[in-house]
């Protein structure tokens, strides 16, 4: 059965809340409690999880440790993934020094920049490689996921190279609408889009 | 009629693609073409827009300039918004120097940090204020939106202060599940969650 993409996108949030519960000493949770924590309905949680089988016993709640393990397996998080960064400007440097990737199994193994004056420099223990060698560098390091942090004007051309190189997962920080084939997943990290989806709620409705 | 939040979250993406079309010299677009560009169905675009009235003439497509203006008005983007940043570490500094906010009407007007050794320093033309004065500083600068870029362990306490201070829109960069009351909107910018929702598609399904 095909799982809707919105469900897949919610699972990491479930996983994070479950992990926080476990760290706080909780071992069992029901969908009601989990829903309150995640600020979604318990029905949605039960429905989302039902795509992947049966996790809880009726009226007994979920064993958190077990559910975490299952979700990590479903999401492919019980292994490590090799990540590359394209664009080592100010944002790229903040990304590369982000301490949250490694503990979650995401290893940044290569970085690239088009500016020949920074190529060869070392950032976060990695030597900056030229973007002109992107496809070869990705293959050499067995990269599966690429972070794009280049200026907007260059984002699509970089993404086209990534797609040609067989990359199926892209995290794009450039604030621009980009195109990928249907078998490639792209997620956009964009504070402006996030702002723009909140100002709606700050704006009093027109009187009409 | 209440507009589903997922629809509101999609509108900024429509707006961005329409703006790119207009910049490229296109004046009219139909839902089919817009759907291809956004990689969603034309039916979804028509349905999403129908919440806000009638924008196109049957068979004539949308006048892009007009649709942009209407969407900007609906989303509250035909004005400026005051934004504050809490947490002026490496990530906070990258955020504050991000050139994409000002052109879209988001003015970063204040920044705060809990570390007394950086309070008083100037970043991006702003003097770093102490987080202990957060509520007062937000009121003084008429801040409506706050970016949280503090370590995970401090995110919830900062968010609680923001909520008490009447802030209704929060952009959270801390990789942690946080709680807000129902009338407060929070968006999470989190590369790990984005990665984790893509590895699912990189993982071959179990043979069963």
């Amino acid at each position: 059965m095909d799982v809707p993409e919105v469900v897949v996108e919610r699972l990491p949030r479930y996983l994070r809340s479950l992990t926080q519960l476990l760290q706080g000493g909780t071992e069992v949770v029901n969908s009601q409690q989990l829903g309150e924590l995640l600020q979604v309905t318990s029905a949605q949680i039960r429905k989302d999880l039902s795509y992947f089988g049966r996790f809880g016993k009726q009226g007994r709640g979920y064993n958190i440790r077990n559910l975490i393990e299952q979700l990590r397996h479903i999401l492919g998080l019980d292994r490590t993934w090799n990540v590359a960064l394209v664009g080592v400007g100010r944002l790229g440097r903040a990304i590369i020094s982000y301490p949250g990737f490694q503990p979650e199994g995401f290893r940044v193994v290569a970085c690239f920049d088009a500016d020949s004056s920074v190529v060869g420099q070392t950032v976060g223990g990695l030597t900056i490689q030229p973007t002109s060698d992107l496809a070869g560098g990705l293959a050499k390091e067995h990269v599966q996921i690429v972070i794009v942090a280049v200026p907007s004007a260059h984002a699509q051309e970089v993404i086209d190279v990534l797609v040609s190189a067989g990359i199926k997962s892209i995290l794009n920080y450039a604030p621009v609408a980009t195109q990928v084939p249907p078998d490639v997943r792209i997620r956009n990290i964009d504070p402006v889009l996030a702002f723009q989806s909140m100002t709606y709620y700050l704006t009093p409705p027109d009187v009409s």
Side-chain angles (χ1 to χ4, degrees), chain A:
Chain A
M1 178 167 45
D2 262 14
V3 181
E5 189 148 0
V6 289
V7 174
V8 174
E9 292 189 46
R10 281 195 288 263
L11 294 186
R13 292 184 52 227
Y14 295 0
L15 186 56
R16 174 163 294 166
S17 285
L18 289 163
T19 305
Q20 286 177 222
L21 280 173
L22 188 64
Q23 284 164 349
T26 310
E27 295 275 347
V28 176
V29 70
N30 62 37
S31 54
Q32 195 85 35
Q33 296 161 327
L34 191 55
E36 279 168 26
L37 197 62
L38 283 154
Q39 309 196 299
V40 300
T41 66
S42 59
Q44 182 175 82
I45 289 174
R46 286 194 302 271
K47 184 162 178 239
D48 285 355
L49 293 180
S50 74
Y51 283 100
F52 305 96
R54 289 174 54 91
F55 294 103
K57 286 213 181 67
Q58 189 69 40
R60 294 273 297 279
Y62 303 105
N63 175 302
I64 294 180
R65 210 176 288 272
N66 178 49
L67 186 51
I68 287 173
E69 197 179 311
Q70 300 277 334
L71 286 177
R72 289 186 61 83
H73 181 67
I74 290 164
L75 290 169
L77 301 175
D78 48 2
R79 47 161 294 180
T80 60
W81 296 94
N82 290 346
V83 178
L85 169 73
V86 186
V88 195
R90 194 192 299 252
L91 175 63
R93 283 164 203 261
I95 293 168
I96 220 167
S97 67
Y98 177 62
F101 294 140
Q102 184 87 33
E104 300 291 340
F106 297 98
R107 297 168 50 214
V108 182
V109 295
C111 63
F112 300 86
D113 202 282
D115 179 355
S116 57
S117 73
V118 302
V119 167
Q121 288 181 10
T122 302
V123 175
L126 299 172
T127 304
I128 302 177
Q129 301 176 57
T131 306
S132 54
D133 288 352
L134 188 51
L138 295 174
K140 199 170 137 230
E141 298 288 346
H142 306 286
V143 168
Q144 295 118 341
I145 303 172
V146 178
I147 303 172
V148 176
V150 302
S152 294
H154 300 292
Q156 185 65 56
E157 65 191 73
V158 166
I159 287 167
D160 290 345
V161 174
L162 298 176
V163 169
S164 303
I167 295 295
K168 302 294 185 202
S169 298
I170 299 169
L171 186 63
N172 173 39
Y173 279 84
V176 65
T178 53
Q179 302 286 300
V180 292
D183 66 330
V184 176
R185 242 110 210 147
I186 187 161
R187 303 275 184 260
N188 295 288
I189 296 264
D190 190 332
V192 169
L193 287 186
F195 281 168
Q196 292 180 334
S197 74
M198 294 195 288
T199 49
Y200 173 80
Y201 298 99
L202 294 173
T203 306
D206 288 339
V207 180
S208 55

